[in-house]
Amino acid sequence: SPTPETSPTPDTTTPTPSPEVPSPTPGELTPTPETPPVTPEQNKFTPVPTKVPNGVTPNVTPNANNPTPDTQNQVSPDPVITSDPDPVITEDPDPAITEDPVITKDPVITEDPVITEDPVITEEPTKYDIYYYSGDALLGVGEYEEGKGTDKLFIPNDTDTEEFEDWTTANGEVVTEIPATQTGDVTLYATWVPREFNIYFHNGDELIEDTDFHTYTYGDTILSEDFPYFSNDYSVLERWNDSDGNAAKGIFPEDYGDKHFYAVVSRQVYNITYYQQEDVPARVNDDYKTYEAGIGRGGTGAPALPTLPDTAMNSFLGWSRNPDAAKTEIIDTNVCEDIDLYAVYGPRSYNIYYYSQGDLVGSETYTAGTTHDLRDTDIGHWYRPGNYEDGVSEIGEDEYGDKYFYLSDDKGMATVIFLSAEGGRLDSVPQAYEGAIALPKPPDGYTRWVGTNGTPGSYGYDFDSSAINELNVYSDMFLMPGN
C-alpha cells in the first residue's frame, strides 16, 4: 500500500483563504478544487492538478449493498494545493520528466555505423594496369579498378603528320572503355590517320573562296596548275607564290601544315587603234597601241598618248573616242576595253612680225584659214620681204606660216635681217637699194642662209673657197640659217 504522505511544513505567512470543499462521499474520489489565480511571481511552472496517477487503480473494496471506504488506501485531498500550489518542484511522479529516453539514450550519437564501420577505409580495391602502345613504343601506363572499369582512356597528342584515331586490341577490335567486368592487365594499341590541313589563297587583302581546295590531307599531291585561277576587267592571275615569295609548284606528299599562297597578278592590257581622220589610220609607234586597265593613258602619272604633226592649216590638239569631237580626252583609269581614238585638230596660229628700218616695231598672231587685217600705219605701206612694189594690208584665208613685213619709208635704203633658226634676231645690215652685200658665215651646224616668206632664192656659203658670195639687195630681206 502507498506510504502515507508527510504533511508539509506550515507556512508562517497568512495564507489566502481557500474555498470550502465538501467532504467526499465515501467510495468517491476527492474532487479537484478550483485553482486560484496565479500571480506573475508564481507563474514559473505549470501546476499539475492532483489526480490518481495515470494507470493506477484505487484499491477500493467493493460492497454492493453498503460500500465501505478503504480508509487505508483512500486517496485524500492533496494538501499541496492548499498550502503550496507548485507540487512539481517538491514531488513529481511523472516518469516522462525523470526518465527521458531521448536525452539519456541517443543511438545516433553513441552508435554511428558510418564512422565505426567504413568498408572503403578497411578494404583496398583491386587495381590493374593499362598499357598504351603506338606500334612497339610504349606511350604510357594507366590503371583501372576491378568491378568499376573506366571510360577515361589516355588520349595521345597528334604528331606533325598524323592524328590519333582509336585504341584497339591486338586483334584490331576498337576499345572505347574498360568494362566493369574486365579483370587483369590490359594492353591497347593506337591507330593513326593522316592529318588534314588548311589551304589559304590570298589576293592582296582578299581571301579567295571560289576554289576546290580549302584543305588537303598529308600525303596528297596538288599541283599549282590545279590551283584556282581568276581574272577580271582590271587584273589577271600570273602565278601563285608561296610564303617565301617563290613561285609555288604545288603541295606534295611530304608537305604538312597549313599552306598560304599569294596571287601574283598583272593588269589587264587592252588595245588602242588610232585614226588621223575617220577611216584613215594614223601612224603611231607600237608602244602607244595598248594601255593597262586601272592606269590608262594621257592622265596624270599615266603613260602619254602619241602626238601627230600639225598640218599647214591646223594644229594637232589630241585624241577623242568620238570622231566628230572638238574636245580631247584621255583614257581614264576606269576604262577597261579595246578602243578607237580619233585625232582632234584645231585652227593653227602663226606669228606676224612688223619691222621698220631693221627694228622690230610690233608683233601679233593670226589664225590660218582666216582673213587677218594688218595693223594700221600713218606712213608708207607694209611690204612683204623681197617686194617693194606691192603694199599689203591683210593676210588671206589661204595663207599660213609666220609672216614678216617691213615698212617702206621711201628713203632708198633696205635692211637685211639675219634671224636665228628659232626666229630670233641675230644681226641686221642696212643697205642701199640694189646694192650688194657679203653674206656672213651661218651659225654652227648650218651651211647656208635661206630667205623666208617669199624672199627669192637660197644662198649657200662655200667653206672651201675664199670667194665671197654677194647678195643683190633691192628690198628689206629676212634670212634664216639652213642646210
Side-chain angles (χ1 to χ4, degrees):
S1 62
T3 303
E5 294 182 357
T6 304
S7 298
T9 304
D11 190 352
T12 59
T13 61
T14 303
T16 303
S18 301
E20 296 183 0
V21 180
S23 301
T25 304
E28 294 181 358
L29 296 175
T30 302
T32 303
E34 183 178 352
T35 305
V38 181
T39 64
E41 290 78 5
Q42 295 171 322
N43 192 16
K44 298 179 180 178
F45 297 93
T46 303
V48 180
T50 302
K51 291 185 181 180
V52 178
N54 189 21
V56 178
T57 303
N59 186 10
V60 179
T61 302
N63 190 332
N65 295 323
N66 187 16
T68 299
D70 185 354
T71 58
Q72 190 173 3
N73 296 323
Q74 181 177 347
V75 179
S76 62
D78 191 348
V80 176
I81 296 174
T82 60
S83 60
D84 188 354
D86 190 359
V88 177
I89 298 174
T90 59
E91 190 172 327
D92 190 352
D94 189 351
I97 297 175
T98 59
E99 297 178 5
D100 187 352
V102 176
I103 297 174
T104 59
K105 296 179 181 181
D106 187 353
V108 177
I109 296 175
T110 58
E111 298 177 6
D112 188 350
V114 176
I115 296 175
T116 59
E117 298 178 4
D118 189 354
V120 176
I121 298 175
T122 59
E123 295 183 12
E124 183 72 22
T126 301
K127 297 182 179 180
Y128 298 100
D129 290 331
I130 307 173
Y131 297 94
Y132 297 98
Y133 279 88
S134 176
D136 295 331
L138 179 64
L139 301 180
V141 179
E143 64 179 19
Y144 73 96
E145 289 185 16
E146 182 180 6
K148 289 186 177 181
T150 183
D151 60 355
K152 295 179 174 59
L153 301 179
F154 169 66
I155 303 299
N157 293 327
D158 294 342
T159 69
D160 288 340
T161 59
E162 295 180 315
E163 63 182 19
F164 173 75
E165 183 181 33
D166 290 308
W167 289 112
T168 66
T169 66
N171 296 327
E173 296 177 0
V174 175
V175 177
T176 59
E177 63 178 0
I178 305 298
T181 57
Q182 180 74 40
T183 59
D185 292 343
V186 176
T187 301
L188 300 179
Y189 299 90
T191 59
W192 303 84
V193 294
R195 286 185 62 181
E196 187 175 75
F197 300 99
N198 296 314
I199 308 175
Y200 300 98
F201 294 98
H202 303 269
N203 180 23
D205 296 332
E206 179 186 359
L207 192 63
I208 302 299
E209 298 290 349
D210 185 15
T211 172
D212 294 334
F213 302 104
H214 292 286
T215 62
Y216 77 97
T217 301
Y218 174 71
D220 286 348
T221 297
I222 304 174
L223 298 179
S224 59
E225 50 260 37
D226 296 323
F227 286 1
Y229 175 84
F230 67 89
S231 65
N232 52 43
D233 290 342
Y234 290 90
S235 60
V236 58
L237 176 71
E238 287 189 359
R239 68 177 186 275
W240 291 100
N241 279 356
D242 59 23
S243 298
D244 296 327
N246 301 318
K249 296 181 180 180
I251 297 174
F252 299 96
E254 64 273 13
D255 291 334
Y256 62 88
D258 291 347
K259 297 295 183 181
H260 292 263
F261 298 99
Y262 301 87
V264 178
V265 299
S266 60
R267 296 183 182 276
Q268 289 279 21
V269 177
Y270 295 97
N271 297 316
I272 310 172
T273 303
Y274 295 93
Y275 292 90
Q276 186 168 351
Q277 298 176 7
E278 190 172 4
D279 298 329
V280 179
R283 291 183 177 182
V284 299
N285 191 293
D286 289 343
D287 294 340
Y288 295 105
K289 292 183 178 180
T290 59
Y291 74 95
E292 292 182 344
I295 295 180
R297 274 192 181 276
T300 302
L305 288 165
T307 59
L308 296 181
D310 296 336
T311 66
M313 304 296 290
N314 295 289
S315 295
F316 173 78
L317 303 179
W319 301 94
S320 174
R321 299 171 70 178
N322 182 353
D324 299 322
K327 294 183 178 181
T328 63
E329 62 182 289
I330 63 172
I331 300 177
D332 209 344
T333 56
N334 60 354
V335 181
C336 302
E337 61 181 347
D338 293 341
I339 61 173
D340 295 336
L341 290 182
Y342 299 88
V344 177
Y345 290 94
R348 186 173 180 179
S349 295
Y350 292 95
N351 296 310
I352 302 174
Y353 299 100
Y354 296 100
Y355 283 86
S356 176
Q357 294 297 311
D359 294 325
L360 180 66
V361 295
S363 66
E364 59 183 344
T365 60
Y366 77 98
T367 300
T370 62
T371 299
H372 183 87
D373 294 331
L374 300 181
R375 64 172 52 185
D376 295 332
T377 177
D378 295 332
I379 57 173
H381 299 280
W382 295 111
Y383 292 89
R384 295 178 187 275
N387 185 334
Y388 58 90
E389 295 178 351
D390 301 319
V392 181
S393 60
E394 66 178 17
I395 297 175
E397 61 181 12
D398 58 344
E399 294 189 64
Y400 57 88
D402 290 344
K403 299 296 183 180
Y404 294 84
F405 296 97
Y406 67 94
L407 182 63
S408 173
D409 55 7
D410 297 327
K411 292 182 179 180
M413 296 292 293
T415 303
V416 178
I417 300 173
F418 297 93
L419 303 175
S420 68
E422 293 77 23
R425 181 172 177 174
L426 294 177
D427 196 8
S428 61
V429 180
Q431 183 66 37
Y433 286 165
E434 299 182 0
I437 65 171
L439 297 177
K441 179 180 178 181
D444 292 343
Y446 296 92
T447 60
R448 60 179 179 171
W449 291 101
V450 180
T452 65
N453 291 287
T455 300
S458 295
Y459 307 96
Y461 184 83
D462 187 356
F463 293 101
D464 299 327
S465 172
S466 59
I468 297 177
N469 292 332
E470 293 183 352
L471 173 67
N472 291 324
V473 178
Y474 52 90
S475 69
D476 285 358
M477 305 188 71
F478 300 86
L479 304 180
M480 298 182 69
N483 289 310

